[in-house]
Amino acid sequence: GWKDAINTTIINFNNEKMQITWAARELFPSENVSFSYTFDEGKHKVWKPCPTYLLDQDYNSGCLFKTEGPTLAISIRSSNGSEELFSKRLKSDFYIKPNRPENVTFFWKEDTVTVICNKPERAVKCLRLELQYKSKFDKDWQSRTSKCCSVGEQGFDPRKCYSFRVRLKRLVPYCNVVNYSSDWEAETFWMNGTLLDSCDDDIKSQSNTVIFLSCFLAVLLMILILLILLCKWQRLQKSVMPAIPDPKYVFADLFNDHNGNFQEWIDETAHTMVQTKPEYEEPECIIEVESQQKDEKNSDKQSSQEKIFNFSRAAENNDPKAAQIACLMPTSNTIASFAGFQILMNNDMYVML
């Protein structure tokens, strides 16, 4: 009974090659066993020796040979072949491990992704196509399985980058006694229907965009700060060190008409000033002080009033000599008005206001 209890691993690679392995160091620690097989049925079996042994520390731990039929018989014997240590009869079709899916194609339509691969030549009904995907925000793979050889899934965000991988699986227990799946097809990276080298490219592009915008805003901020400082500096400079006027603009005729010749310019300026001197000059008012006796003042009081009356009429007629006449008037402690002028008369002097 112990012969049937030996644990072996049987794999039929896409019904093309068989691989059978055993724990050589645990099961047969003292000898190097031999392996033989046959696909024949009935009494007339032809046993074939193992063409290719798999080794574990120089001990035979498995055998690799070609698949030649649906029914397989194996036998493990002692090193000289005299004693059978293990034997088993099995259906090779129940241990099939499919190959990877071929010609995998992705179709994108809005938020739906459909994956299609080529159909295998046989046992298509026993196969299922499995799609796994995840975004850079997901920790675990999301899985979707469908009949061979098309699978679709909805709900994909076009702004996210996704990793995809697909494989073929054999149905258990209808087609396989062991749950064998093919190796994963090469992982691909997609974003909104565009194939990428990796999702790191998306992260780098976003980070590059953020860095560019940050640098651009920083440059704008620096320019704004420099403009503010420049305006402040100009105001401070004007308040501390006022600008010296350029004589070229103050004396434009000196530089434009006389090419900076100061003597020529001053002579012409003096000549112009002489020509533009006003013809009318206001007569100077000469204050005369006369010493007279008090009695003469009293006697001349009446004649002074007459003079004042005559001056008032002359002033009203805008006579320019009216002011000069007023200078010759004797003074008194009275104030008289003459055509807008006021004359203060005090004793022997007068003052025009």
Side-chain angles (χ1 to χ4, degrees):
W2 67 272
K3 293 182 179 180
D4 296 333
I6 292 178
N7 187 22
T8 58
T9 302
I10 303 169
I11 303 175
N12 184 359
F13 292 101
N14 200 40
N15 210 22
E16 297 174 357
K17 287 186 177 182
M18 296 291 301
Q19 175 181 293
I20 299 176
T21 57
W22 58 85
R25 302 296 297 169
E26 297 176 4
L27 298 175
F28 315 108
S30 60
E31 62 178 324
N32 201 3
V33 297
S34 62
F35 179 86
S36 60
Y37 68 96
T38 182
F39 286 94
D40 296 331
E41 298 181 8
K43 296 180 180 181
H44 304 285
K45 295 180 182 180
V46 179
W47 292 90
K48 298 178 181 180
C50 177
T52 305
Y53 277 103
L54 304 177
L55 302 179
D56 181 12
Q57 298 180 1
D58 297 331
Y59 282 85
N60 297 332
S61 62
C63 181
L64 185 64
F65 53 95
K66 184 180 179 180
T67 303
E68 298 176 358
T71 303
L72 173 64
I74 61 176
S75 176
I76 299 176
R77 294 178 176 271
S78 59
S79 58
N80 55 14
S82 59
E83 181 184 2
E84 187 178 68
L85 303 177
F86 174 75
S87 64
K88 187 174 184 179
R89 186 172 179 271
L90 53 94
K91 290 289 186 180
S92 62
D93 292 346
F94 288 169
Y95 296 87
I96 294 178
K97 179 179 180 179
N99 289 338
R100 294 178 179 178
E102 297 179 355
N103 194 20
V104 179
T105 307
F106 288 80
F107 295 96
W108 285 75
K109 186 177 181 181
E110 297 179 353
D111 65 337
T112 303
V113 177
T114 303
V115 182
I116 299 175
C117 68
N118 290 345
K119 289 184 179 181
E121 296 179 358
R122 50 190 172 184
V124 178
K125 294 181 179 180
C126 292
L127 295 175
R128 293 292 182 268
L129 181 62
E130 181 182 8
L131 169 67
Q132 286 191 348
Y133 60 90
K134 68 176 180 179
S135 70
K136 58 187 177 182
F137 304 102
D138 300 327
K139 295 182 179 179
D140 301 324
W141 289 94
Q142 307 295 321
S143 184
R144 172 75 171 171
T145 304
S146 182
K147 292 182 180 181
C148 187
C149 291
S150 176
V151 60
E153 185 61 42
Q154 296 179 343
F156 290 97
D157 190 345
R159 297 170 296 180
K160 295 181 180 179
C161 179
Y162 291 91
S163 303
F164 291 95
R165 62 183 185 180
V166 293
R167 66 179 179 180
L168 291 173
K169 298 179 64 175
R170 289 275 294 188
L171 288 176
V172 177
Y174 304 103
C175 299
N176 264 32
V177 295
V178 183
N179 188 12
Y180 282 150
S181 301
S182 70
D183 295 335
W184 290 104
E185 181 63 20
E187 186 175 349
T188 56
F189 307 93
W190 295 80
M191 180 177 178
N192 195 22
T194 303
L195 179 63
L196 304 176
D197 293 335
S198 68
C199 284
D200 295 336
D201 297 341
D202 178 46
I203 297 174
K204 290 180 181 179
S205 62
Q206 291 183 358
S207 62
N208 292 337
T209 303
V210 173
I211 293 173
F212 175 77
L213 292 177
S214 301
C215 294
F216 182 71
L217 293 177
V219 171
L220 289 181
L221 182 60
M222 290 179 62
I223 293 175
L224 180 61
I225 293 175
L226 290 176
L227 290 176
I228 295 175
L229 292 177
L230 181 61
C231 294
K232 294 289 185 181
W233 170 251
Q234 289 179 349
R235 291 182 181 180
L236 179 62
Q237 190 177 22
K238 288 181 180 180
S239 60
V240 175
M241 296 179 293
I244 300 174
D246 191 350
K248 181 177 180 180
Y249 300 101
V250 178
F251 303 99
D253 53 349
L254 171 62
F255 293 95
N256 295 335
D257 300 337
H258 303 282
N259 296 324
N261 191 332
F262 181 78
Q263 187 62 41
E264 181 182 344
W265 173 76
I266 197 65
D267 292 342
E268 181 177 346
T269 304
H271 178 68
T272 304
M273 292 178 62
V274 171
Q275 291 182 349
T276 57
K277 185 176 181 181
E279 296 180 357
Y280 170 77
E281 293 184 359
E282 184 178 355
E284 296 182 357
C285 180
I286 301 174
I287 301 174
E288 296 181 358
V289 181
E290 298 179 358
S291 295
Q292 295 180 359
Q293 298 295 331
K294 292 181 179 180
D295 52 351
E296 293 178 357
K297 294 178 181 179
N298 294 329
S299 61
D300 295 338
K301 183 176 182 180
Q302 184 175 0
S303 62
S304 298
Q305 291 177 354
E306 293 177 357
K307 290 180 180 180
I308 292 172
F309 177 76
N310 294 330
F311 173 74
S312 177
R313 286 189 301 175
E316 289 177 359
N317 295 328
N318 295 327
D319 190 350
K321 296 182 179 181
Q324 186 175 1
I325 295 173
C327 295
L328 302 177
M329 292 172 58
T331 60
S332 63
N333 293 328
T334 61
I335 298 176
S337 296
F338 303 96
F341 294 95
Q342 290 183 348
I343 304 300
L344 175 61
M345 293 170 286
N346 185 8
N347 296 329
D348 297 331
M349 299 180 63
Y350 73 90
V351 179
M352 179 181 289
L353 302 179

